[in-house]
mmCIF file of all heavy atoms in Angstrom:
data_model
loop_
_atom_site.group_PDB
_atom_site.id
_atom_site.type_symbol
_atom_site.label_atom_id
_atom_site.label_comp_id
_atom_site.label_asym_id
_atom_site.label_seq_id
_atom_site.Cartn_x
_atom_site.Cartn_y
_atom_site.Cartn_z
ATOM 1 N N THR Q 13 59.647 77.301 117.202
ATOM 2 C CA THR Q 13 61.038 77.708 117.398
ATOM 3 C C THR Q 13 61.817 77.232 116.183
ATOM 4 O O THR Q 13 62.711 77.938 115.684
ATOM 5 C CB THR Q 13 61.566 77.074 118.619
ATOM 6 O OG1 THR Q 13 60.686 77.458 119.697
ATOM 7 C CG2 THR Q 13 62.969 77.557 119.015
ATOM 8 N N ARG Q 14 61.498 75.946 115.805
ATOM 9 C CA ARG Q 14 62.333 75.368 114.651
ATOM 10 C C ARG Q 14 62.031 76.175 113.396
ATOM 11 O O ARG Q 14 62.963 76.490 112.639
ATOM 12 C CB ARG Q 14 61.909 73.958 114.437
ATOM 13 C CG ARG Q 14 62.760 73.283 113.329
ATOM 14 C CD ARG Q 14 62.365 71.837 113.164
ATOM 15 N NE ARG Q 14 62.693 70.997 114.316
ATOM 16 C CZ ARG Q 14 62.425 69.727 114.373
ATOM 17 N NH1 ARG Q 14 61.765 69.127 113.371
ATOM 18 N NH2 ARG Q 14 62.706 68.984 115.437
ATOM 19 N N LYS Q 15 60.839 76.630 113.184
ATOM 20 C CA LYS Q 15 60.468 77.468 112.035
ATOM 21 C C LYS Q 15 61.267 78.791 112.092
ATOM 22 O O LYS Q 15 61.741 79.268 111.035
ATOM 23 C CB LYS Q 15 58.984 77.751 111.957
ATOM 24 C CG LYS Q 15 58.198 76.649 111.246
ATOM 25 C CD LYS Q 15 56.734 77.031 111.104
ATOM 26 C CE LYS Q 15 55.956 75.943 110.483
ATOM 27 N NZ LYS Q 15 54.508 76.171 110.538
ATOM 28 N N LYS Q 16 61.302 79.396 113.314
ATOM 29 C CA LYS Q 16 62.013 80.650 113.405
ATOM 30 C C LYS Q 16 63.505 80.445 113.119
ATOM 31 O O LYS Q 16 64.058 81.291 112.361
ATOM 32 C CB LYS Q 16 61.832 81.138 114.868
ATOM 33 C CG LYS Q 16 60.543 81.934 115.078
ATOM 34 C CD LYS Q 16 60.544 82.442 116.532
ATOM 35 C CE LYS Q 16 59.185 83.145 116.748
ATOM 36 N NZ LYS Q 16 59.026 83.520 118.141
ATOM 37 N N ILE Q 17 64.096 79.395 113.671
ATOM 38 C CA ILE Q 17 65.492 79.140 113.335
ATOM 39 C C ILE Q 17 65.740 78.990 111.844
ATOM 40 O O ILE Q 17 66.711 79.547 111.291
ATOM 41 C CB ILE Q 17 66.017 77.890 114.137
ATOM 42 C CG1 ILE Q 17 65.979 78.221 115.661
ATOM 43 C CG2 ILE Q 17 67.412 77.478 113.665
ATOM 44 C CD1 ILE Q 17 66.214 77.004 116.503
ATOM 45 N N LEU Q 18 64.826 78.247 111.198
ATOM 46 C CA LEU Q 18 65.026 78.024 109.738
ATOM 47 C C LEU Q 18 64.836 79.249 109.012
ATOM 48 O O LEU Q 18 65.614 79.574 108.054
ATOM 49 C CB LEU Q 18 64.001 76.989 109.303
ATOM 50 C CG LEU Q 18 64.249 75.533 109.593
ATOM 51 C CD1 LEU Q 18 63.109 74.603 109.218
ATOM 52 C CD2 LEU Q 18 65.589 75.067 108.902
ATOM 53 N N ALA Q 19 63.918 80.161 109.483
ATOM 54 C CA ALA Q 19 63.747 81.438 108.802
ATOM 55 C C ALA Q 19 64.962 82.413 108.965
ATOM 56 O O ALA Q 19 65.373 82.961 107.982
ATOM 57 C CB ALA Q 19 62.500 82.194 109.440
ATOM 58 N N VAL Q 20 65.546 82.351 110.158
ATOM 59 C CA VAL Q 20 66.754 83.124 110.372
ATOM 60 C C VAL Q 20 67.880 82.663 109.455
ATOM 61 O O VAL Q 20 68.639 83.384 108.764
ATOM 62 C CB VAL Q 20 67.162 83.114 111.906
ATOM 63 C CG1 VAL Q 20 68.549 83.669 112.067
ATOM 64 C CG2 VAL Q 20 66.120 83.855 112.689
ATOM 65 N N LEU Q 21 68.044 81.245 109.436
ATOM 66 C CA LEU Q 21 69.065 80.656 108.587
ATOM 67 C C LEU Q 21 68.898 81.033 107.173
ATOM 68 O O LEU Q 21 69.880 81.315 106.415
ATOM 69 C CB LEU Q 21 69.096 79.161 108.806
ATOM 70 C CG LEU Q 21 69.730 78.641 110.101
ATOM 71 C CD1 LEU Q 21 69.603 77.119 110.229
ATOM 72 C CD2 LEU Q 21 71.176 79.058 110.214
ATOM 73 N N ALA Q 22 67.621 81.014 106.706
ATOM 74 C CA ALA Q 22 67.300 81.345 105.292
ATOM 75 C C ALA Q 22 67.659 82.777 104.957
ATOM 76 O O ALA Q 22 68.287 83.049 103.980
ATOM 77 C CB ALA Q 22 65.856 81.076 105.002
ATOM 78 N N VAL Q 23 67.380 83.713 105.941
ATOM 79 C CA VAL Q 23 67.746 85.074 105.751
ATOM 80 C C VAL Q 23 69.252 85.216 105.650
ATOM 81 O O VAL Q 23 69.779 85.989 104.836
ATOM 82 C CB VAL Q 23 67.081 85.949 106.914
ATOM 83 C CG1 VAL Q 23 67.678 87.372 106.865
ATOM 84 C CG2 VAL Q 23 65.627 86.001 106.707
ATOM 85 N N LEU Q 24 69.956 84.572 106.584
ATOM 86 C CA LEU Q 24 71.434 84.652 106.594
ATOM 87 C C LEU Q 24 71.982 84.182 105.305
ATOM 88 O O LEU Q 24 72.893 84.716 104.691
ATOM 89 C CB LEU Q 24 72.006 83.902 107.780
ATOM 90 C CG LEU Q 24 71.781 84.507 109.156
ATOM 91 C CD1 LEU Q 24 72.314 83.570 110.306
ATOM 92 C CD2 LEU Q 24 72.507 85.903 109.240
ATOM 93 N N LEU Q 25 71.415 83.007 104.782
ATOM 94 C CA LEU Q 25 71.952 82.403 103.569
ATOM 95 C C LEU Q 25 71.715 83.399 102.379
ATOM 96 O O LEU Q 25 72.563 83.542 101.548
ATOM 97 C CB LEU Q 25 71.197 81.069 103.337
ATOM 98 C CG LEU Q 25 71.763 80.178 102.226
ATOM 99 C CD1 LEU Q 25 73.184 79.762 102.486
ATOM 100 C CD2 LEU Q 25 70.881 79.030 101.988
ATOM 101 N N ALA Q 26 70.469 83.965 102.371
ATOM 102 C CA ALA Q 26 70.183 84.874 101.347
ATOM 103 C C ALA Q 26 71.174 86.079 101.398
ATOM 104 O O ALA Q 26 71.692 86.556 100.290
ATOM 105 C CB ALA Q 26 68.804 85.354 101.390
ATOM 106 N N ALA Q 27 71.368 86.569 102.591
ATOM 107 C CA ALA Q 27 72.272 87.677 102.701
ATOM 108 C C ALA Q 27 73.668 87.334 102.209
ATOM 109 O O ALA Q 27 74.364 88.152 101.501
ATOM 110 C CB ALA Q 27 72.354 88.147 104.133
#
Side-chain angles (χ1 to χ4, degrees):
Chain Q
T13 309
R14 186 180 292 177
K15 273 184 183 173
K16 277 183 183 170
I17 290 171
L18 284 174
V20 169
L21 285 177
V23 168
L24 287 175
L25 189 65

